[in-house]
Amino acid sequence: MITVPGPLEQPLKYGVYTGLELELQSPEAIPQAARLGLEPPRYCGQCGRRMVVQVRPDGWDARCSRHGTVDSVELGRR
């Protein structure tokens, strides 16, 4: 099992594409591009705050002001 740091650490409390609490989020709320794996997470899964996201040619990195940074390389996604 992969240990993912900070904003995307399991268990998630908030949707990483919507910022809504997972209990309140419907499957239709997730954008189609995100379902296809083409969109980086935009919200912290721990606090629901909007993250600063930098998209690079080789992946992306996202930073939550409270929970730190996660990089697509750490997740094995590019």
Side-chain angles (χ1 to χ4, degrees), residues 1-10 69-71 74-75 77:
M1 180 165 169
I2 299 172
T3 302
V4 179
L8 304 182
E9 189 173 344
Q10 298 294 331
T69 303
V70 65
D71 195 299
E74 295 169 352
L75 301 176
R77 298 185 207 161

Side-chain angles (χ1 to χ4, degrees), residues 44-68:
C44 178
Q46 301 304 311
C47 65
R49 285 182 169 77
R50 185 109 168 123
M51 294 192 292
V52 176
V53 178
Q54 176 70 47
V55 178
R56 308 179 308 261
D58 64 339
W60 52 262
D61 61 73
R63 181 175 44 88
C64 172
S65 61
R66 299 234 172 145
H67 295 99

